[in-house]
Amino acid sequence: MRQKLGMPDRLGSCHIAKIAGYVVDGHVPTADIQRLLKEKPKALGLSVPSMLPGSSGMESSKPIPYQPLLVQADG
């Protein structure tokens, strides 16, 4: 599915969805998805590669700071 949607494997994670024409891969926070849909950048979508402790759905007593990636159409 990742290949079909155009998300590079190196940016992949455990979950993938297509929302309003954008690809969202991994544990992307809701606020970032809402911002994506509001601002409508020319991009493939958002990704949080891997399953980082502390990301949405991966709560941890030792979270790792992270930032979702805005992925351009060329990866």
Side-chain angles (χ1 to χ4, degrees):
M1 182 57 76
R2 185 168 289 108
Q3 184 177 19
K4 181 179 176 184
L5 294 175
M7 183 64 73
D9 283 337
R10 65 186 170 78
L11 300 177
S13 188
C14 51
H15 310 290
I16 191 164
K18 192 157 189 181
I19 304 170
Y22 291 104
V23 178
V24 177
D25 199 345
H27 291 244
V28 179
T30 303
D32 291 306
I33 296 170
Q34 290 171 333
R35 181 177 174 196
L36 176 77
L37 298 175
K38 180 180 178 185
E39 295 181 7
K40 297 179 173 57
K42 290 189 179 198
L44 177 64
L46 295 172
S47 177
V48 174
S50 189
M51 293 176 64
L52 302 171
S55 61
S56 300
M58 296 294 296
E59 289 73 20
S60 171
S61 61
K62 296 182 181 180
I64 296 173
Y66 71 97
Q67 295 248 335
L69 303 175
L70 179 64
V71 181
Q72 301 300 320
D74 64 0

